[in-house]
Amino acid sequence: MPYIPFTEEQKLQANSVDLAEFLRRRGERLIPSSSEYRMASDHSVTIRGSEWYDHAAREGGGPISFVQARYGLSYPQAVSPLLGREGIAYPQAKPPKSDAPKEFSLPPASPTMRRVYAYLLQRRRIDQAVLTAFVRAGLIYEDAKYHNAVFVGKDEHGAARHAHRRSAGDRGNPFRINAAGSDARYSFHWTGTSGRLYVFEAPIDLLSFLTLYPEDWQAHSYVALCGLGEQAMLWMLEQNTALQKVLLCLDRDRAGMEAAARLTDRLRERGYTQIS
């Protein structure tokens, strides 16, 4: 490709483009996740303002490096579309908000769980005994405002520290987001007494697995990462040294398989050998 000179102002403009809007206008679907977005086509990639991070590859940067890596383009080929030279103008990302931690609180609960029960029992076919066990433990409820299913994560003292909200329906694009201030270490989980820990991407994956394999399920431990991060899995292992066998139950797609390889490496670094 012929050399294209860019001014410093143009380079700054290109590297300040709102990445979420850039991807939407190019047909990509994004999933809200707290204060950022996750790519529907690759859950390991998160977007926030003009920044991106690939949790599987453990690399990130600004819009120019994203376009280069994602679409296999050279530097000038990446800068040109970001500057609108393909006829599409992209807005600049808003200045990042303060990174001061937000105080966590559970969404107010609905007096009933009619919609969540209908969704989980009738549409997702979750076993009623399994669902009842989680509800009685205060780990699943229906929020009052939007009637979403709320999957609660508690710390070692039994205090709620994480909440994952999921729309009680599958029409259109389902709404999935972690409540502001959630601590990723305490994602939705169940603590058993055996030496097995099962690791999932989403709470409904976890519940579906227990529905398929209900025999003596309460004896084992389970965690839903609510994404592909490793924090909750590692916290579970730190809290219970009896957990020695880790079973990674992630999606069989590119992001899930790459995450399984990455999590396996993390486990081996910490001396775990029983991984499947």
Side-chain angles (χ1 to χ4, degrees):
M1 184 176 179
Y3 172 72
I4 302 175
F6 297 107
T7 66
E8 290 303 315
E9 288 78 11
Q10 287 175 320
K11 294 175 185 178
L12 179 61
Q13 178 186 344
N15 229 22
S16 302
V17 163
D18 186 321
L19 261 180
E21 194 59 33
F22 174 83
L23 288 168
R24 286 195 192 98
R25 296 187 186 187
R26 297 180 75 91
E28 291 276 3
R29 187 167 69 85
L30 302 177
I31 302 170
S33 179
S34 189
S35 61
E36 56 192 21
Y37 293 94
R38 194 175 295 275
M39 291 184 65
S41 61
D42 187 346
H43 289 190
S44 65
V45 177
T46 53
I47 306 294
R48 185 177 185 181
S50 61
E51 299 177 347
W52 65 280
Y53 188 76
D54 188 328
H55 296 264
R58 303 184 73 182
E59 62 181 14
I64 297 175
S65 63
F66 177 87
V67 175
Q68 285 183 280
R70 194 72 186 172
Y71 303 110
L73 301 178
S74 66
Y75 185 87
Q77 287 174 323
V79 173
S80 291
L82 291 166
L83 292 176
R85 293 186 175 180
E86 293 181 346
I88 305 174
Y90 301 105
Q92 300 286 286
K94 296 179 180 178
K97 296 181 180 179
S98 171
D99 290 331
K102 295 182 179 180
E103 185 176 351
F104 171 77
S105 63
L106 288 173
S110 169
T112 71
M113 288 188 57
R114 182 175 59 85
R115 295 191 193 181
V116 167
Y117 274 137
Y119 174 63
L120 293 177
L121 295 176
Q122 297 173 22
R123 298 190 64 184
R124 300 307 297 258
R125 302 296 181 183
I126 302 301
D127 181 80
Q128 186 166 358
V130 169
L131 179 56
T132 298
F134 280 87
V135 171
R136 288 179 176 173
L139 300 176
I140 299 177
Y141 71 93
E142 181 175 316
D143 77 30
K145 188 173 183 179
Y146 301 106
H147 301 283
N148 295 316
V150 181
F151 300 94
V152 180
K154 297 183 179 182
D155 64 17
E156 61 271 32
H157 306 296
R161 300 285 298 278
H162 189 283
H164 180 76
R165 295 160 55 200
R166 205 267 190 212
S167 56
D170 280 328
R171 296 177 182 175
N173 295 329
F175 172 83
R176 294 184 289 260
I177 193 169
N178 295 328
S182 289
D183 189 324
R185 293 174 297 171
Y186 308 109
S187 188
F188 182 70
H189 63 275
W190 179 277
T191 303
T193 56
S194 80
R196 290 189 182 187
L197 173 63
Y198 294 82
V199 181
F200 303 86
E201 290 187 30
I204 292 180
D205 296 344
L206 190 162
L207 298 174
S208 298
F209 178 85
L210 299 184
T211 298
L212 292 169
Y213 304 100
E215 185 177 355
D216 200 27
W217 72 264
Q218 295 187 12
H220 309 304
S221 297
Y222 312 86
V223 62
L225 304 176
C226 296
L228 292 170
E230 62 198 52
Q231 299 99 316
M233 177 188 75
L234 296 180
W235 179 80
M236 293 280 288
L237 295 170
E238 291 168 1
Q239 295 301 304
N240 186 356
T241 56
L243 294 173
Q244 291 297 316
K245 184 169 186 178
V246 182
L247 300 100
L248 302 173
C249 311
L250 308 184
D251 291 354
R252 193 171 178 80
D253 56 15
R254 174 178 173 268
M257 289 188 285
E258 289 179 351
R262 173 173 50 83
L263 295 179
T264 297
D265 289 342
R266 299 293 178 277
L267 291 167
R268 287 175 176 162
E269 289 170 1
R270 287 162 174 77
Y272 292 92
T273 57
Q274 299 183 60
I275 308 165
S276 63

